[in-house]
Amino acid sequence: QVQLAESGGGLVQAGGSLRLSCAASGRTFSNYAMGWFRQAPGKEREFVAAITWSGSSTYYADSMKGRFTISRAYGKNTVYLQMNNLKPDDTAVYYCAADYNPYRASSSHYDYDAWGQGTQVTVSS
């Protein structure tokens, strides 16, 4: 089993940036793909970005392309989500997740096997 812990959320003004981190432990880091999802109050959980085990392939939701960047650092067993040009609609709890299929990098939350507790991101207008 892998354990995940997000950090880096907070309050930021529209147009600003944040970098979220997800520290992984308990399972070899290269054995799983990683994803970020978010959930705003009253809304469904939404795919944000995903990255394969090697980091060679990344995928983004259309509304995040060009603004968000997912990456992973093997020496730190950490996945990052760099978020630039934030908008009030980006306000949500952000979750990282691990998919034990390391090649898949799915956009469906049903494919993920482990989840972090979430970190709140609030973007003010």
Side-chain angles (χ1 to χ4, degrees), residues 11-125:
L11 173 64
V12 64
Q13 288 188 331
S17 298
L18 281 174
R19 188 178 78 160
L20 305 183
S21 299
C22 173
S25 61
R27 188 179 172 114
T28 303
F29 191 56
S30 60
N31 285 357
Y32 44 92
M34 294 292 296
W36 285 96
F37 291 78
R38 70 185 186 185
Q39 189 165 19
K43 294 188 176 182
E44 297 284 325
R45 189 163 295 194
E46 177 185 25
F47 170 71
V48 175
I51 187 168
T52 54
W53 73 274
S54 66
S56 61
S57 295
T58 56
Y59 303 91
Y60 298 91
D62 287 344
S63 62
M64 287 71 164
K65 287 180 182 177
R67 298 192 300 127
F68 291 8
T69 303
I70 188 171
S71 61
R72 59 195 299 165
Y74 283 88
K76 298 182 178 180
N77 284 4
T78 299
V79 174
Y80 301 101
L81 184 68
Q82 177 67 43
M83 305 186 294
N84 298 328
N85 190 23
L86 283 161
K87 305 174 182 180
D89 284 349
D90 294 319
T91 295
V93 177
Y94 284 70
Y95 299 89
C96 67
D99 178 357
Y100 293 165
N101 182 335
Y103 307 101
R104 182 161 49 192
S106 173
S107 62
S108 170
H109 67 275
Y110 294 109
D111 288 332
Y112 288 81
D113 302 288
W115 293 82
Q117 81 287 353
T119 186
Q120 176 71 46
V121 171
T122 303
V123 184
S124 63
S125 58

